[in-house]
Amino acid sequence: MPYELNALIAAEELIAVVTAEVPLARSTLLPHGLALVPMTDELHDALQHPSNAPDFGFKRFPSGFALRIAGWSKAAPIAYAESDDEHPAGRRAALWYDGRITLGPLAPADGAPIDRVLRALGATDATAPEIAAAVDAHRRRPTGAAGATGTAEG
């Protein structure tokens, strides 16, 4: 069954700022000082902002969200990553730092997008597999005919 991932990934300290500013955001700790905020349907809707800002080719990137990520990135690097196993080009990732995109948006043709942003966030050859496995554990499985999503189990 196909899975998808839509999430912010950054250092624990920056993710704490995100969750303090956005009450619907829930974080999960990842290995080696990183954390992840899944982009739930509710969070996506709450982050929508009327804007003509680009979506960078992401499938579930809230309108105008780039402005918010750019603001958070002034403190530390932050990534947005998507992985949709149902679509061949469904893996994308970008990294913002100092108020702008510094890596990406990356697509599969650029190599493994999520692995590349994890390395930009400090993953090493030794830590990358453990972090990638932890990120992978937070993929969601699409359910229902309307395309709603549910949390993957197991």
Side-chain angles (χ1 to χ4, degrees):
M1 179 166 239
Y3 286 89
E4 64 182 62
L5 169 77
N6 311 91
L8 288 168
I9 305 169
E12 291 175 33
E13 296 82 8
L14 183 55
I15 293 297
V17 170
V18 171
T19 58
E21 285 184 24
V22 185
L24 286 173
R26 300 288 181 254
S27 67
T28 300
L29 296 180
L30 298 172
H32 306 285
L34 296 177
L36 173 143
V37 172
M39 182 63 71
T40 63
D41 293 336
E42 295 80 13
L43 182 58
H44 179 274
D45 293 346
L47 292 171
Q48 289 280 20
H49 183 273
S51 167
N52 289 334
D55 64 8
F56 303 104
F58 289 110
K59 178 180 166 188
R60 289 197 31 85
F61 197 81
S63 177
F65 188 47
L67 300 172
R68 196 146 208 191
I69 292 177
W72 290 324
S73 78
K74 289 180 181 177
I78 186 168
Y80 180 78
E82 289 186 350
S83 179
D84 185 348
D85 290 343
E86 209 168 73
H87 303 285
R91 289 185 174 87
R92 294 189 150 319
L95 184 85
W96 282 257
Y97 185 52
D98 200 24
R100 62 186 176 83
I101 287 185
T102 57
L103 181 62
L106 301 169
D110 302 313
I114 295 174
D115 289 348
R116 289 192 55 197
V117 297
L118 289 175
R119 288 187 186 283
L121 289 168
T124 64
D125 287 343
T127 62
E130 183 182 0
I131 296 169
V135 168
D136 197 45
H138 295 283
R139 295 181 305 171
R140 300 179 324 159
R141 178 180 31 219
T143 59
T149 56
T151 303
E153 296 178 36

